[in-house]
Amino acid sequence: MDHESCRTLLEGVSLFAEGEAPPELCAEIERHMAGCEHCRIVVDSLRRTIDLYHRLPQPAMPEKAREKLYKSLDLTEYMK
Amino acid sequence: MTDKASETGLLERIRAGEKKACVECVEIHSPGIYRLALRLMRQEADAEEVVQETFLSAFKGIDRFDGRSDLRTWLYRIAYNAAMMRLRRAGPEEVSVEEAAEPEEGALIPRALMAWKDLPEEELEKAEVREELERAIRDLPEKLRAVFVMRELEHIPTDGTASALGISEDVVKTRLHRARLRLRERLAPYFALPAEEAGGNHGS
């Protein structure tokens, strides 16, 4: 990962992984990736990282905390 | 539920002191505020207090809400500021120190260069995997963490995140990019293919 071209491309890799890089940048990154296994791995694992967090189940507020919140706001009587 | 017209209606009712309107606001927005607080604060008890503080000061200062951003963005800003105040009060060790000193360039260069395995859906249900992902978020420097949580996990648009955090949209984009690269680096050992599979000498 010490090639100068890898470093240059890295700045745009996030957009590329999201599919939001402009076409010229996409073409440049694809060209580079074709000949650079390291960058292929980086892009693939970056995509997987983003995907994992999109699929991560979201933590819910514990019921006790919700009760305390309603109490602090003087809304307990409206709690469902 | 969060479109402009119903939000304006809700705000009017909150301003008029209607408690049911406050309840609606809490029901809609507290789950997201809680998740942000939890990921910023590390401790559940602190996160709960940040959520309370957020709604207390939002309802008290509802007249100061000027409608330039949406209500959610405004609440996130209050929550973020409350969380940062708490972290600072708790002492410097609670605030990431590496951030200021971090060389810009160095942080971006990927070092973990192993291929990742496919992760079946049910794996993500495992507490261990979820904890690993949450721990990686908590280990991010505070500034990257706030951007990552808002953009990637709460799906707040770039402009809303910028306005909630009081930074420019370009800074939001840069920080999101850095956060993703850091998380990739941090998670690589955990999600990498075992060496023999990566070599392609085994399996079909």
Side-chain angles (χ1 to χ4, degrees):
Chain A
M1 206 60 206
D2 281 332
H3 305 112
E4 204 46 52
S5 52
C6 298
R7 290 191 204 188
T8 318
L9 287 182
L10 204 54
E11 288 287 348
V13 138
S14 207
L15 286 176
F16 180 76
E18 281 179 291
E20 281 179 14
E24 321 83 73
L25 182 61
C26 270
E28 195 187 337
I29 292 178
E30 272 161 14
R31 219 171 17 249
H32 175 81
M33 276 181 11
C36 180
E37 203 206 342
H38 283 171
C39 282
R40 279 203 298 277
I41 289 176
V42 170
V43 169
D44 178 70
S45 49
L46 192 65
R47 273 199 182 122
R48 286 171 190 261
T49 303
I50 296 169
D51 179 58
L52 279 172
Y53 280 107
H54 286 173
R55 286 156 59 203
L56 177 67
Q58 291 280 37
M61 182 157 50
E63 197 50 32
K64 271 231 167 93
R66 204 168 150 258
E67 281 167 23
K68 271 195 262 172
L69 173 63
Y70 272 76
K71 192 158 176 243
S72 74
L73 297 169
D74 197 19
L75 295 173
T76 306
E77 58 189 302
Y78 297 93
M79 213 178 141
K80 281 173 244 160
Chain B
M1 240 200 308
T2 50
D3 71 359
K4 198 83 187 166
S6 69
E7 189 163 295
T8 311
L10 183 63
L11 278 165
E12 275 169 19
R13 290 164 53 216
I14 296 173
R15 288 199 176 108
E18 195 190 307
K19 284 197 161 189
K20 272 191 175 162
C22 295
V23 172
E24 273 177 49
C25 178
V26 171
E27 288 293 311
I28 295 169
H29 296 291
S30 64
I33 299 290
Y34 173 75
R35 292 190 298 264
L36 172 72
L38 188 64
R39 282 154 171 161
L40 289 174
M41 298 306 295
R42 296 155 204 253
Q43 303 283 346
E44 223 169 79
D46 290 335
E48 291 171 11
E49 290 192 14
V50 166
V51 178
Q52 289 176 24
E53 244 176 272
T54 301
F55 284 99
L56 277 171
S57 73
F59 293 149
K60 213 169 114 196
I62 196 76
D63 288 327
R64 285 199 305 275
F65 175 64
D66 57 12
R68 266 188 301 177
S69 60
D70 58 14
L71 182 57
R72 178 172 73 152
T73 305
W74 187 64
L75 291 170
Y76 272 94
R77 177 159 57 216
I78 297 173
Y80 175 72
N81 289 336
M84 289 306 110
M85 287 270 274
R86 264 173 190 275
L87 287 173
R88 305 244 142 80
R89 230 181 293 142
E93 71 276 12
E94 287 291 323
V95 179
S96 166
V97 282
E98 62 179 313
E99 196 164 359
E102 177 191 294
E104 296 288 288
E105 176 97 359
L108 280 175
I109 297 173
R111 299 184 196 285
L113 297 169
M114 50 283 217
W116 286 26
K117 59 188 172 196
D118 289 318
L119 202 70
E121 203 63 44
E122 59 268 23
E123 281 285 300
L124 263 176
E125 298 295 325
K126 287 189 184 161
E128 185 206 320
V129 175
R130 292 211 306 265
E131 270 160 31
E132 182 68 19
L133 291 168
E134 294 286 351
R135 236 189 333 265
I137 301 174
R138 282 200 295 273
D139 288 347
L140 284 174
E142 149 208 323
K143 287 179 178 165
L144 301 188
R145 193 159 74 230
V147 169
F148 183 78
V149 172
M150 288 194 206
R151 287 286 296 111
E152 205 86 282
L153 304 180
E154 299 302 326
H155 307 289
I156 297 175
T158 304
D159 58 350
T161 304
S163 133
L165 299 178
I167 53 181
S168 73
E169 292 188 27
D170 280 342
V171 172
V172 170
K173 289 179 193 164
T174 309
R175 285 186 189 168
L176 177 61
H177 179 52
R178 300 230 152 113
R180 286 166 167 172
L181 285 173
R182 269 180 178 258
L183 289 168
R184 190 208 73 88
E185 200 74 26
R186 162 78 162 71
L187 296 171
Y190 191 84
F191 291 108
L193 275 174
E196 68 269 22
E197 284 180 47
N201 297 325
H202 298 272
S204 48

